[in-house]
Amino acid sequence: MKAWWKEGVVYQIYPRSFQDSNGDGVGDLPGIISRLDAVAELGADIIWLSPVYASPGIDNGYDISDYRSIDPLLGTMADMDRLFGEAKKRGIRIIMDLVVNHTSDEHEWFQKSRRREPGYEDYYIWLPGKNGRPVVPPNNWTSFFMEDAWTWDELRGEYYLHLFHKKQPDLNYKNPKVIDEVKGILKFWLDRGASGFRCDVINALYKTSLEDGKKNIMITGTEHFLCQEGNHEILRILRRDVLDHYDCFTVGETALVNLEDAKLLSDEKRRELNMVFYFDHLEVDRLVARFVPKKFRAGELLKRLDKWQRGLEWNAVYLENHDQSRIVSHYGAGEKNPLYWERSAKLLAVLEFTLRGTPFVYQGQEIGMTNFDFTGMGEVKDIESHNLDRLMKKLHLPARLRWKWIRASSRDNARTPYQWSAGAGAGFTTGEPWLGINGSHRRINYEAQKDDPASVLGFYKRILRLRAGSETLKYGEFHPLFARGPCIAYERRPPAPAGRPETSAGQADGAPPEDAAGSGGVYTVLLNFSGKTAELPRSWAAAPFATEPVLSNTGRTAPPSGTLEPWEAVILKGR
Ligand code: ISL
């Protein structure tokens, strides 16, 4: 089924790091409003706003103390209403970040729950220590932030569960009142103008049991709380009672999800979520979670893309977000060689915009922003990186290795302020930025690219237009062609015409018809993930592609025959 949220392109804004308007060094809502034209010019028509709610800010807003008010650091509710209005004028819808696995410990519900105020006793997950002893936590679970998942609360005289930081206590979804609270939050924002939600760790809401978990170096206990039947049920209730009554969509951030669970969560017929963020395609070069690296293989990337592209009815397609390293530093060439930096940033744009699903662009991705250039832990703010460092110290890992892994994996890589210009404060702030500005802003910035069609930004604009005008790129099927060394190739084939069932995956069915707009037909995508000229397989024949490439990051005017240039990306049409 077609939908606006399938055709649209989402632009993720991390408010603290996007644009500061008052010189306090923190991005804010008026700042975002002043940059809406840049989002519209890119061609994005949906904004995902990372949390803007009242929050003590230990996890940059993912620790909410009031879901119905705006963090004064970021602005006021009047600013938020203005943002909805100004975005609408530009044809941009806004989705909010729904963070309801946990609240901040400063939320009034938690404060009431600690005091056992009537009605609030069971809003969170409280337990006495193991065997009633306060010195031993109720079970052996650890948190996503690599600490114990339980903290003792003196006032209540019990432990509470937190799958993240101790200032982020988990809500108790066995309590129907908690589900009612969430319904209220959804309605509040939908009525104010939101068009949907990105739902934070939405597959961990329901803790089926609080038994000990199987020991795991990263996180223990997941078999008791990830993708449980109770979680599916909650999502169906929220959909039935609230979301289905609005023109909106949801994308779930589903931690550690596998394909089978992702299918259940996003299956249109089950009416839970519309799509999910999974991590598999970003972990081709990761051995343990985000932190321990291994060699990248393009063939492995294609294999994983294929699995999810064809495994799910609809994908959320993304290469970056506020928790990930910058993709040009991750799968691309980094910034050392300016030509390869630019080419690989464009190659990654080709990858993202030729996959089937709703594309999500993270702020700065469209200008090729790179990982931070910090030199030591003193400059890192992210609590996750600090916990990781502590854990690695405990394991006696040498300082150089610790820093190497943190540099590659820290969430602050994505959180350095947006590079608007080469000037002081990168055009982000006139004050002292809350997090260091990447020195690369002198070369990599919006000003330098905004009017240059040959820039990374210019390329993004082109490829967004290409996708917008093509039924095949939006709705067509994905088919892998080959992987050879650093090169991969795949096709997008036109969607089956309405009224006829789609052919099952892997079955080619003759020459598909062009769509009415004339933008159908098969697209073939070729990518070289390396700084070396690379050979295409012998079976590859350029001959059938009579026409010039639809898009190329090297200026190529004829289809490639035997080789691809370093970091080359080509889109061909017709066979
Ligand atoms: O990033 C991940 C995998 O590469 C995940 O494990 C991710 O950290 C996790 O899924 C939860 O992330 C979300 O919830 C956190 C918050 O700190 C993150 O910023 C947010 O995206 C707690 O709210």
Side-chain angles (χ1 to χ4, degrees), residues 67-99:
Y67 292 88
R68 290 180 173 81
S69 72
I70 301 294
D71 191 323
L73 259 180
L74 306 186
T76 62
M77 195 54 93
D79 293 329
M80 188 64 218
D81 288 339
R82 204 153 60 81
L83 175 56
F84 278 128
E86 289 295 320
K88 196 170 175 189
K89 275 191 211 157
R90 293 164 176 82
I92 297 174
R93 306 185 204 229
I94 295 181
I95 65 168
M96 303 297 284
D97 214 313
L98 182 76
V99 188

Side-chain angles (χ1 to χ4, degrees), residues 12 14 48 50-51 59-63 97 99-102 144-145 163-165 168 198-203 253-256 279 282-283 286 289-291 318 321-324 382-384 411 415:
Q12 183 192 350
Y14 195 67
W48 151 23
S50 274
D59 195 13
N60 295 338
Y62 284 88
D63 49 322
D97 214 313
V99 188
V100 291
N101 173 68
H102 44 270
F144 278 88
F145 288 159
L163 293 183
F164 293 87
H165 193 269
Q168 294 168 302
R198 174 269 187 187
C199 311
D200 194 65
V201 281
I202 201 70
N203 59 334
E253 187 222 22
T254 46
L256 307 171
F279 299 90
L282 291 180
E283 290 173 348
R286 291 169 181 167
R290 264 200 330 278
F291 315 118
Y318 77 102
N321 63 35
H322 63 289
D323 293 335
Q324 298 288 331
D382 181 22
I383 43 175
E384 185 196 70
R411 305 192 300 179
R415 299 176 180 183

